[in-house]
């Protein structure tokens, strides 16, 4: 939950929720979306069920993820995005600034960065294979490094 953890960011999870909603409205996209909340964000699930009423979206606060079930992941920054990247899935980073990258994948230019639904749609249309993993870049991660190593 960016709004409670990173006060100097000029965007937060609510901007991300709007991106998802606007994306589903953009060109009338009908695909089902799964929204995985950060464990500290589970209090938002009631708000989100109302916010996304009428949309094909499933909201999860805690699940065991079947990584093979997904080919595309969109997020701001998290260990989960890095896990999907390692598994060679399509990863797209959301950042309104597109320059103050909070995501290591964005900083290292390993995943594209979008700031709105039009850019997100364009990235999906122009699907490109992810670059090969450069393990030495992952060594600079601090808090999540152990979880990533365990995952690998």
């Amino acid at each position: 939950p960016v709004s409670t953890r990173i006060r100097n960011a000029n965007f937060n999870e609510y901007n991300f929720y709007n991106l998802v909603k606007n994306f589903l409205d953009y060109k009338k996209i009908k695909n089902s979306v799964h929204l995985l909340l950060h464990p500290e964000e589970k209090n938002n699930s009631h708000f989100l069920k109302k916010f996304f009423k009428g949309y094909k979206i499933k909201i999860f606060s805690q699940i065991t993820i079947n990584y093979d079930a997904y080919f595309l992941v969109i997020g701001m920054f998290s260990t989960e995005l890095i896990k999907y990247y390692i598994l060679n899935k399509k990863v797209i980073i959301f950042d309104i600034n597109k320059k103050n990258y909070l995501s290591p994948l964005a900083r290292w230019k390993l995943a594209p960065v979008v700031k709105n639904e039009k850019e997100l749609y364009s990235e999906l249309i122009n699907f490109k294979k992810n670059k090969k993993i450069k393990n030495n870049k992952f060594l600079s991660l601090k808090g999540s490094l152990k979880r990533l190593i365990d995952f690998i």
Side-chain angles (χ1 to χ4, degrees), residues 2 8 26-28 58 73 77 83 85 95 108 110 122 125 138 142:
V2 178
N8 60 351
Y26 189 70
K27 301 208 180 213
K28 303 297 180 207
K58 294 181 182 179
V73 180
F77 53 92
K83 287 178 182 178
Y85 179 82
D95 185 340
W108 301 328
L110 297 174
S122 177
I125 296 301
F138 289 105
K142 294 178 182 166

Side-chain angles (χ1 to χ4, degrees), residues 88-103:
N88 204 26
K89 305 292 183 174
K90 176 74 174 171
V91 175
I92 299 176
I93 309 298
F94 169 66
D95 185 340
I96 288 177
N97 292 333
K98 289 187 75 172
K99 60 183 178 182
N100 296 327
Y101 301 137
L102 297 172
S103 168

Side-chain angles (χ1 to χ4, degrees), residues 91-132:
V91 175
I92 299 176
I93 309 298
F94 169 66
D95 185 340
I96 288 177
N97 292 333
K98 289 187 75 172
K99 60 183 178 182
N100 296 327
Y101 301 137
L102 297 172
S103 168
L105 295 175
R107 281 196 308 272
W108 301 328
K109 297 180 179 22
L110 297 174
V113 180
V114 300
K115 67 178 179 179
N116 59 40
E117 67 278 0
K118 292 175 186 173
E119 290 182 1
L120 177 56
Y121 186 78
S122 177
E123 277 298 328
L124 293 176
I125 296 301
N126 301 317
F127 180 77
K128 293 181 181 174
K129 196 89 168 151
N130 285 331
K131 296 178 183 177
K132 293 281 183 190

